[in-house]
Amino acid sequence: MRTVEELETIMRSIVQTYNNNDAMKAVRVMCLMIMEAINIEEMTTGVLRFSDLTRMTMTDDGVHNYLNPETRQITCRKWSTKNKKEREMRVSQRFVDGIYEIYGGCAPERLLVTDEGLPWTNTCKLSTEFRKNVGYLMMDVRSSFTTYLDKVCETDSNGLEKLREICHNQGHRLSTALTTYRRKIVPKLRIPEMYKDKHEIGEENV
């Protein structure tokens, strides 16, 4: 079985990048999504693909994926997502507030824009920028998150349904997600205190 670093370890870089006001805004938004995704009771997105995020708007045009900041609902439309299946999911209020904070108080029309305000369309270049800033491929982050989620849901009476829902929202059937993304974990590091302080999440929930 392939290996991946434990989510706590990856979170160290994710949080540092998010807290770096000089980091690329779109990358900070993606980091915020990953940080909030572990709160599976509040946010059911999981870790979305670059393509889902670059095709997401903050104003509904009826074509692109849409994040409604008032209802905190995301609609992934089948013609704007890789698996061609419409999906509905919710996000946390902290995610919505964080988007406005990152973009200086007013969210752009597209969720991910360059620092010059232009929509990100080149997912390969965005992937390069994410890895350069964070130090990990998004594939590794998605793998670590799915492995973490599988472990957490084992101890929950409704865990299987939660796992199925979030894997579906990430764009996979449960069996595909576990086959593709579940990995053997390499030794962990403790999650940094700044993450717990900023988001008021105890280590037992990470």
Side-chain angles (χ1 to χ4, degrees):
M1 180 182 288
R2 294 173 63 184
T3 62
V4 71
E5 290 190 61
E6 192 165 29
L7 190 61
E8 291 183 22
T9 304
I10 292 176
M11 277 293 188
R12 186 181 189 91
S13 293
I14 296 291
V15 173
Q16 287 174 346
T17 303
Y18 169 72
N19 286 336
N20 180 6
N21 291 330
D22 294 326
M24 187 174 292
K25 291 181 174 64
V27 172
R28 292 184 67 210
V29 170
M30 290 187 289
C31 288
L32 179 61
M33 174 194 67
I34 296 162
M35 291 161 60
E36 286 299 311
I38 64 172
N39 301 306
I40 60 177
E41 300 299 331
E42 297 181 38
M43 187 148 165
T44 61
T45 60
V47 180
L48 296 175
R49 296 185 179 99
F50 287 124
S51 57
D52 287 333
L53 296 169
T54 56
R55 296 169 184 165
M56 191 169 295
T57 65
M58 299 285 284
T59 55
D60 192 6
D61 61 8
V63 176
H64 293 89
N65 301 329
Y66 172 49
L67 166 59
N68 185 327
E70 295 183 2
T71 64
R72 296 189 286 113
Q73 295 291 316
I74 286 178
T75 300
C76 282
R77 296 189 164 100
K78 60 184 180 181
W79 47 80
S80 285
T81 190
K82 184 177 178 181
N83 71 347
K84 305 303 179 185
K85 293 183 179 180
E86 190 141 326
R87 313 191 307 273
E88 298 280 344
M89 58 200 85
R90 65 181 181 276
V91 300
S92 67
Q93 186 63 52
R94 284 185 299 215
F95 181 62
V96 173
D97 293 343
I99 293 169
Y100 283 96
E101 180 184 353
I102 289 169
Y103 286 121
C106 54
E109 182 178 335
R110 291 287 190 95
L111 177 63
L112 298 184
V113 297
T114 67
D115 286 354
E116 292 71 39
L118 301 175
W120 270 102
T121 57
N122 188 328
T123 56
C124 291
K125 186 174 181 180
L126 184 57
S127 176
T128 299
E129 291 295 336
F130 181 85
R131 185 179 187 181
K132 184 166 66 176
N133 280 263
V134 176
Y136 292 94
L137 293 169
M138 184 61 88
M139 177 69 171
D140 291 332
V141 177
R142 280 165 64 88
S143 296
S144 185
F145 175 79
T146 303
T147 303
Y148 152 83
L149 188 64
D150 179 45
K151 183 177 180 181
V152 167
C153 288
E154 283 181 354
T155 60
D156 191 311
S157 59
N158 195 36
L160 180 60
E161 289 309 310
K162 289 180 181 177
L163 181 61
R164 192 189 310 278
E165 177 188 16
I166 294 176
C167 287
H168 169 75
N169 289 343
Q170 289 189 143
H172 292 289
R173 292 179 299 177
L174 177 61
S175 58
T176 302
L178 296 183
T179 300
T180 305
Y181 291 103
R182 186 166 52 183
R183 305 286 172 82
K184 181 179 178 180
I185 295 295
V186 297
K188 70 177 181 178
L189 296 175
R190 293 178 64 82
I191 196 162
E193 290 297 321
M194 61 181 174
Y195 180 71
K196 292 189 285 187
D197 290 345
K198 187 159 188 174
H199 287 267
E200 299 177 356
I201 299 170
E203 191 168 314
E204 69 276 8
N205 293 323
V206 178

